[in-house]
Amino acid sequence: MHPALQRLADLAFTRVRFSEPLAPYTTWRIGGPADALVDVGTPEELVRLFAFLREEGIPWFLLGHGSNVLFGDGGFRGVVFRLAGAFRTLAILSRGSSPLVFPDGRRGSSPSAAAEGSPDGSAPGRDARPYEGAEVGWEQGGDVPRCPPETVGVLAGGGASLPGLAAFAARRGLAGLEFAGGIPGTVGGAVVMNAGAHGGEVKDVLRYVRLFTPDGREVVAGPESLRFSYRTSNLQREKAVVVEAAFCLRPDDPEEIRARLNAFRERRARTQPVTARTAGSVFRNPPGDYAGRLIDAAGLKGLRVGGAVVSPVHANFIENAGGATARDVCALIERIRDEVYRKFGVLLETEVVVVGEG
């Protein structure tokens, strides 16, 4: 462990843990310890964290809800941090400014945003509901793009739950995010990977993102500058944190929105191993085909390495059937790739991000 990491305890973050096992924070329930796991709950804390990381030259990784990521069995040498508190706010945009005000004062005054699940701003519990803030609005001076007049803007912190955002919009009769109701993860992670399902993608409804860079810059970017494509954006190559995202949604009948949400959730429950410990889709779909179909056609459903097994429900999922290690999962991924390439000449690309030491 880097000797400077002990200073984190004195820097007034929402929560700091040392030598913290990462498995409980991932949907695969796999991963060794991080040197430090930090929850940042305000813009001031994020600024302070990156100043510390720059000064000490310590590696970092931003963790969302723990889907789509595989931590090595040796853990992560550095700081893993999560966006909490104000970064989990959900709000309807009207007048005023964003609730995320960075300490350089460029943003002007704004409504306060309490921490997730707690009106008084106290630290949230793991299962707490997001704080659904009062109406907030576009930045004075017009430094962010506006939604078209026939739509309604919805603002979400980068650490907010993506399914929670879809439900928030549905309750208010705002359509466009129904596809996201069953996708595990945070809003920030969904933007970075252009998450999608059932014919919808984040890029279809995104208006802008606000980014914070490790060198202390605050950047507003529209979707055209993020170069979205299938399950990717240029944010996967940039070291920047999505601190908030705005979506333009169209008014619709709340009952019809809920019906679409429920239909998508029921379809997911029928076709995916929703009760198993998985990280979501392991491979990207190749052009003109589906990774799951190729893996199934190769006869690999049920293939097992240690505690990791190709799901018998959907072949593009790997289940932790009990005691699986990161090494098991990586070995199984390579066997799948090799066999699919040998039989069909298609080299599958992974969607899961592998992080840390083996």
Side-chain angles (χ1 to χ4, degrees):
M1 180 186 295
H2 194 291
L5 284 173
Q6 292 298 328
R7 287 178 49 207
L8 288 169
D10 302 321
L11 293 178
F13 294 109
T14 296
R15 196 170 184 183
V16 179
R17 307 171 194 80
F18 296 104
S19 300
E20 181 74 3
L22 293 168
Y25 301 96
T26 72
T27 55
W28 247 330
R29 296 297 187 264
I30 295 172
D35 287 342
L37 178 65
V38 179
D39 287 353
V40 293
T42 66
E44 290 82 2
E45 289 184 24
L46 185 59
V47 170
R48 199 157 56 241
L49 177 63
F50 272 127
F52 168 80
L53 295 172
R54 286 196 307 271
E55 178 184 345
E56 300 295 343
I58 295 174
W60 58 271
F61 181 79
L62 172 60
L63 177 63
H65 284 180
S67 59
N68 207 48
V69 63
L70 176 65
F71 284 109
D73 300 316
F76 185 81
R77 303 286 72 78
V79 172
V80 174
F81 74 94
R82 305 188 301 168
L83 298 178
F87 294 109
R88 296 178 181 176
T89 298
L90 301 173
I92 301 295
L93 289 162
S94 60
R95 293 176 299 174
S97 61
S98 164
L100 294 178
V101 182
F102 281 80
D104 62 6
R106 285 177 294 160
R107 303 295 307 282
S109 61
S110 71
S112 62
E116 176 180 336
S118 55
D120 62 355
S122 58
R126 174 169 294 183
D127 297 322
R129 289 170 56 84
Y131 170 72
E132 297 180 355
E135 289 192 342
V136 297
W138 298 113
E139 182 85 11
Q140 297 295 327
D143 72 336
V144 294
R146 295 177 180 270
C147 282
E150 68 275 12
T151 64
V152 176
V154 174
L155 187 76
S161 161
L162 183 63
L165 171 62
F168 174 89
R171 288 194 297 273
R172 286 154 180 80
L174 298 175
L177 283 167
E178 293 91 324
F179 71 88
I183 301 176
T186 61
V187 169
V191 170
V192 169
M193 70 170 294
N194 188 27
H198 312 296
E201 295 179 300
V202 164
K203 70 177 180 61
D204 299 335
V205 288
L206 182 70
R207 188 55 173 155
Y208 77 86
V209 294
R210 193 175 297 277
L211 308 170
F212 189 77
T213 66
D215 60 1
R217 291 180 298 121
E218 187 185 354
V219 179
V220 173
E224 67 285 346
S225 66
L226 301 181
R227 298 181 182 177
F228 285 116
S229 59
Y230 173 70
R231 300 300 174 268
T232 189
S233 73
N234 63 5
L235 291 174
Q236 292 180 331
R237 298 180 294 277
E238 301 289 337
K239 281 281 191 177
V241 176
V242 176
V243 295
E244 70 181 19
F247 301 87
C248 298
L249 306 178
R250 66 184 188 281
D252 198 357
D253 184 283
E255 291 299 324
E256 293 186 7
I257 297 172
R258 278 193 289 270
R260 290 193 293 269
L261 263 176
N262 291 335
F264 289 152
R265 287 169 177 160
E266 290 169 4
R267 178 180 172 187
R268 179 172 179 263
R270 290 194 309 269
T271 60
Q272 297 180 14
V274 295
T275 61
R277 290 175 291 182
T278 76
S281 296
V282 175
F283 299 99
R284 291 185 171 91
N285 289 326
D289 210 334
Y290 296 94
R293 189 200 71 80
L294 290 168
I295 298 166
D296 192 6
L300 300 180
K301 274 188 175 179
L303 178 65
R304 186 176 188 128
V305 174
V309 60
V310 177
S311 174
V313 179
H314 192 305
N316 198 18
F317 288 70
I318 291 177
E319 299 181 10
N320 177 357
T325 65
R327 184 169 296 183
D328 292 340
V329 173
C330 288
L332 185 54
I333 286 173
E334 288 309 308
R335 287 188 61 180
I336 294 168
R337 282 164 54 94
D338 290 346
E339 192 65 13
V340 168
Y341 185 76
R342 185 181 70 82
K343 290 192 173 182
F344 305 112
V346 176
L347 186 60
L348 295 177
E349 297 181 7
T350 54
E351 191 170 304
V352 170
V353 178
V354 181
V355 183
E357 298 182 346

